Amino acid sequence: MQRRVIHLRNGGTSLVIDPTTPGLPTIVHWGHDLGDAAQADLDGLALAAEPQRVSGGLDVPARLTLLPLDAAGWLGTPGLEGHRSGRVFSPSFALSTVEHGPSTATITAVDDHGALTLVVELEVSDAGLVRQRLSLTNTGPDDYSLLALAATFPLPAQATEIMDTTGRHLRERSPQRRALTVGTHLRESRKGRPGADATLLLAAGTPGFGFERGQVHAVHVAWSGNHRLAAERTVTAESALTAGELLAPGEVDLAPGATYSTPWVLGSWGDGLTELSARFHTELRSRPRHPQRPRPVTLNTWEAVYFDHDLATLTALAERAAAVGVERFVLDDGWFLGRRDDTAGLGDWTVDPAVWPHGLTPLVETVTGLGMEFGLWVEPEMVNLDSDLARAHPGWILQPGGRLPVEGRQQHVLNLADPDAYAHVFESLDALLVEHPISYLKWDHNRELTSAGDARTGRATVHEHTLALYRLLDELHARHPALEIESCASGGARVDLGILERTDRVWTSDCIDPLERLDNQRYTGLLVPPELLGAHVGGPRSHSTHRTHDLDLRAGVAFFGHLGIEWDLTTVDDDQLAALGRWVEAHKQARDLLHTGRVVHADLPVATADLRGVVAQDRSRALYAYTQTATSLTYPAGRVHLPGLDPDASYRVRLAAPTAALAGPGQSPLRWASDGARSTGRALGTTGIQAPVLYPEELVLLEATVIG
């Protein structure tokens, strides 16, 4: 057979596809741009990838295709699982058509015996991401029960170490690594949302890959429900990352003529995690509805007042917020009917007259009169049993039938796939948005889904519930185009590109202890750019860890994200209030750089320090934060390098406000910190600068500016 290998190119990425392998086509290269390779060279690359037959193997060696299947001899995890009442359990597809352009391809294959049609969509985006989606259509006369359908991304032979993230409430996105050995490393989310323990990305690369170097590939599922990611290596030396939705039994039974489409799965690669991450950031920033205006500095009232709502107290808090430069004031939980704690009220989205006898209008007018936007906390997908809604409509609660699920946080989940429940939620939120000038909703989701069934049918319904959530968010945006929405889920338990298609930032974690946030924000930032990461300055003593930190550390860690405050400013003295105001002003001066530039992390040789920053796209300037997280073995700590600068340009490096006056335990001046120092980007990125002597848990900002 004559080969006509397909070469998709865009954004510095090449995807080479061999359409002649048995069953579905095979990706023979994903990664570095191969340039304008001649067709004969591409065909030769595919030929060179063909394996030999070996003893004990099948007569025709199976290939890792776009849909690896048992029928083609694939003995690893199949890309498709399903059946027709136990029949048609081993589908076998023949290639039908391949349509492609310079950066996109649509591949159609048909299983005539199984009465199934498969369409694989591939795109190499302008950012160099590979986007993949599979659609399966039932062309037979009876139902087809779909169990699993996953996108497959091949890995290079050098990718022998995998990295993912895990966590819990108050400690999301903790990295973990292990060798990619023969077998399967499986990560599943069965909680109806990604979950705090879910991995944001599944990455594989050369051993020891870091942020600055080491080839690495990773995939992400753009889906806010149950999902599955796996890294698999076979004894035939094939390695792959696979990803897709995790389906419950009977959740997707395709009627004759019906089609199921997987969520989009996005694959990125890079020489180091910084380059891999930059592709995701570029992709997100190119979205038509990506926030275009400066991200408003936000004060959220939760850790200031909790459920204790009082107009006088909140008015004083709003006045203090405006004085330090806050641009958005968000009233958190406790404003609606019967909501004095977390045991009651969810579902009854009307203002509680016992707390707000004149409604929210007096507070809203105070906030907007001070020049700030007004935002409101809601948890629309949830319901307490102690609520008028639950008493009136118990059948709207997600349940398997005949019993309620185990409670979480004294609450249950509404079935948005039920049209009546959906209408109630939409109408309640729409009424609030019509009545008040609410510019922002903090949209929370404080429990995991268990036994998530539709009370009308008894069938599993996470899939339909998630699609209904997307419709709800889309409909609210259509009615209120200027509305911004934050995705919060027990902190950072619903961070994915499905929800970010419809929201304007994520709440990274309920823990705003700055030491905890260093790792949390670093690894959440692999996917999400800083302007979409909620990062707040808490009070001196952390709500969740009870550790105490100075303002410079708390503010400096929050500085690079979508800055906010979570602190009772009515208790703050004038000196601290002025210091906080200086941090807010410095952030406003820098946010054009912080929220458009390239995020970098230095791979330092010690675990007692952290250096991260943002470099302008033209590399004319950069801001870094250096944090002494613990005492160092050496004293002083030694040099640190500044990644991301133009190697051929000269820069002046100095400390930046508000940390420009170096304190700390050093007993002599640090010359470069006092006077600034000049050097090339190449030297600063390799030899580096002497780190300032700091006490543990202290932070300073550094700036590097091109010398014209």
Side-chain angles (χ1 to χ4, degrees):
M1 178 184 296
Q2 182 183 7
R3 295 182 189 275
R4 291 295 297 177
V5 168
I6 300 165
H7 185 195
L8 307 182
R9 294 177 62 201
N10 204 4
T13 295
S14 280
L15 193 72
V16 179
I17 305 166
D18 182 357
T20 68
T21 50
L24 271 290
T26 294
I27 296 174
V28 295
H29 172 81
W30 164 37
H32 289 88
D33 189 349
L34 300 181
D36 280 322
Q39 186 65 51
D41 293 330
L42 295 170
D43 292 346
L45 180 65
L47 176 67
E50 284 190 12
Q52 290 178 274
R53 173 183 170 185
V54 294
S55 64
L58 298 174
D59 289 348
V60 179
R63 301 292 298 278
L64 178 68
T65 66
L66 288 168
L67 192 74
L69 293 171
D70 168 77
W74 180 254
L75 300 179
T77 304
L80 167 63
E81 295 180 83
H83 62 91
R84 298 183 189 275
S85 300
R87 299 174 292 104
V88 193
F89 66 91
S90 179
S92 178
F93 288 90
L95 188 63
S96 174
T97 61
V98 178
E99 300 175 356
H100 71 91
S103 60
T104 62
T106 301
I107 297 163
T108 303
V110 175
D111 178 355
D112 289 327
H113 174 73
L116 298 169
T117 297
L118 179 79
V119 176
V120 181
E121 298 168 83
L122 291 163
E123 176 191 356
V124 183
S125 74
D126 292 345
L129 292 182
V130 173
R131 295 164 48 89
Q132 187 176 168
R133 180 170 66 180
L134 291 76
S135 298
L136 186 72
T137 300
N138 176 14
T139 59
D142 56 350
D143 287 0
Y144 180 80
S145 296
L146 180 63
L147 302 177
L149 183 61
T152 299
F153 290 75
L155 289 171
Q158 299 90 341
T160 58
E161 180 176 281
I162 54 178
M163 184 195 79
D164 58 16
T165 59
T166 187
R168 57 169 173 83
H169 181 227
L170 303 175
R171 205 177 196 279
E172 303 90 335
R173 255 85 64 201
S174 296
Q176 53 186 12
R177 292 176 180 250
R178 67 197 69 198
L180 176 54
T181 55
V182 172
T184 303
H185 175 69
L186 178 64
R187 294 299 310 275
E188 293 182 335
S189 173
R190 297 177 174 271
K191 300 177 177 179
R193 63 183 190 184
D197 64 334
T199 187
L200 200 65
L201 300 170
L202 182 54
T206 55
F209 65 85
F211 278 84
E212 297 183 75
R213 59 190 59 85
Q215 182 175 261
V216 57
H217 292 69
V219 295
H220 169 80
V221 185
W223 180 245
S224 308
N226 295 333
H227 66 262
R228 173 184 288 149
L229 298 99
E232 186 167 34
R233 183 169 175 79
T234 69
V235 292
T236 56
E238 300 270 22
S239 296
L241 300 172
T242 60
E245 184 180 5
L246 191 159
L247 299 173
E251 192 164 22
V252 176
D253 284 344
L254 293 176
T259 298
Y260 165 81
S261 294
T262 68
W264 282 103
V265 180
L266 288 77
S268 185
W269 70 278
D271 183 12
L273 290 165
T274 291
E275 184 180 4
L276 179 149
S277 174
R279 298 186 191 281
F280 283 115
H281 294 184
T282 301
E283 182 84 0
L284 280 161
R285 287 168 172 170
S286 68
R287 300 172 303 160
R289 67 172 310 273
H290 189 75
Q292 297 300 311
R293 66 183 180 123
R295 301 290 73 224
V297 176
T298 297
L299 183 137
N300 189 71
T301 67
W302 177 245
E303 290 191 18
V305 300
Y306 298 100
F307 290 107
D308 188 14
H309 285 200
D310 171 78
L311 179 59
T313 300
L314 288 165
T315 297
L317 182 61
E319 290 169 349
R320 283 289 181 108
V324 299
V326 166
E327 298 160 309
R328 174 186 286 155
F329 184 94
V330 180
L331 182 66
D332 209 291
D333 198 353
W335 57 269
F336 49 97
L337 196 63
R339 188 67 166 181
R340 304 284 68 75
D341 55 32
D342 64 2
T343 66
L346 287 175
D348 299 339
W349 300 109
T350 56
V351 179
D352 193 333
V355 179
W356 297 96
H358 303 291
L360 294 178
T361 298
L363 179 62
V364 173
E365 289 180 347
T366 295
V367 167
T368 55
L370 290 166
M372 296 182 291
E373 300 173 7
F374 183 78
L376 194 65
W377 179 96
V378 292
E379 195 173 0
E381 298 157 79
M382 300 295 162
V383 61
N384 290 121
L385 293 183
D386 186 2
S387 66
D388 291 346
L389 178 67
R391 285 184 283 270
H393 301 287
W396 289 0
I397 297 173
L398 284 176
Q399 55 192 285
R403 61 175 171 84
L404 288 176
V406 175
E407 277 196 341
R409 203 174 183 254
Q410 297 85 47
Q411 64 194 53
H412 289 277
V413 187
L414 288 175
N415 178 15
L416 293 182
D418 184 317
D420 293 330
Y422 178 101
H424 166 79
V425 173
F426 175 78
E427 290 164 7
S428 298
L429 295 176
D430 183 57
L432 286 166
L433 295 169
V434 168
E435 183 178 0
H436 301 290
I438 297 169
S439 66
Y440 176 86
L441 291 178
K442 179 181 178 182
W443 187 296
D444 216 337
H445 184 286
N446 274 313
R447 69 150 292 170
E448 295 155 348
L449 277 60
T450 57
S451 302
D454 190 320
R456 300 168 301 169
T457 64
R459 297 174 69 91
T461 193
V462 169
H463 174 77
E464 292 298 331
H465 173 81
T466 306
L467 293 177
L469 167 65
Y470 289 169
R471 290 195 302 274
L472 177 61
L473 292 167
D474 291 343
E475 191 173 358
L476 284 170
H477 278 304
R479 283 289 302 272
H480 307 278
L483 177 69
E484 292 192 7
I485 297 177
E486 173 187 59
S487 172
C488 176
S490 308
R494 187 156 68 184
V495 177
D496 63 85
L497 297 189
I499 203 71
L500 273 170
E501 279 295 310
R502 298 158 175 90
T503 55
D504 302 279
R505 81 166 189 169
V506 295
W507 183 227
T508 324
S509 177
D510 278 345
C511 178
I512 52 176
D513 177 314
L515 287 186
E516 299 291 323
R517 274 298 188 109
L518 284 172
D519 257 5
N520 174 276
Q521 291 173 190
R522 182 192 348 257
Y523 288 96
T524 307
L526 287 177
L527 182 72
V528 183
E531 63 270 26
L532 303 182
L533 288 177
H536 288 190
V537 183
R541 190 183 192 198
S542 169
H543 162 90
S544 55
T545 67
H546 282 208
R547 282 195 291 238
T548 300
H549 293 112
D550 290 341
L551 176 60
D552 283 351
L553 182 66
R554 287 151 37 222
V557 170
F559 185 80
F560 290 82
H562 183 176
L563 183 67
I565 298 166
E566 199 96 9
W567 186 7
D568 185 358
L569 298 183
T570 65
T571 66
V572 178
D573 64 34
D574 290 343
D575 288 344
Q576 280 283 283
L577 204 66
L580 177 61
R582 287 192 289 273
W583 273 104
V584 170
E585 181 58 29
H587 172 81
K588 290 179 179 180
Q589 293 298 319
R591 64 185 164 188
D592 179 57
L593 165 65
L594 300 176
H595 296 166
T596 62
R598 181 168 180 150
V599 178
V600 295
H601 293 269
D603 291 324
L604 299 181
V606 294
T608 55
D610 179 274
L611 190 140
R612 63 188 62 194
V614 176
V615 181
Q617 295 293 344
D618 64 1
R619 297 193 286 187
S620 62
R621 57 200 271 259
L623 266 174
Y624 301 92
Y626 173 75
T627 307
Q628 187 74 46
T629 58
T631 57
S632 58
L633 179 63
T634 60
Y635 201 50
R639 292 181 182 178
V640 291
H641 63 281
L642 306 180
L645 301 175
D646 182 347
D648 298 319
S650 292
Y651 292 84
R652 182 164 298 281
V653 181
R654 55 170 61 91
L655 292 180
T659 62
L662 184 63
Q667 296 184 358
S668 65
L670 183 61
R671 289 280 302 281
W672 74 260
S674 302
D675 307 326
R678 172 176 178 155
S679 193
T680 65
R682 181 176 286 104
L684 292 169
T686 52
T687 304
I689 59 174
Q690 179 67 47
V693 177
L694 302 176
Y695 289 112
E697 303 181 10
E698 284 193 339
L699 171 149
V700 293
L701 298 181
L702 321 173
E703 61 181 351
T705 307
V706 160
I707 298 172

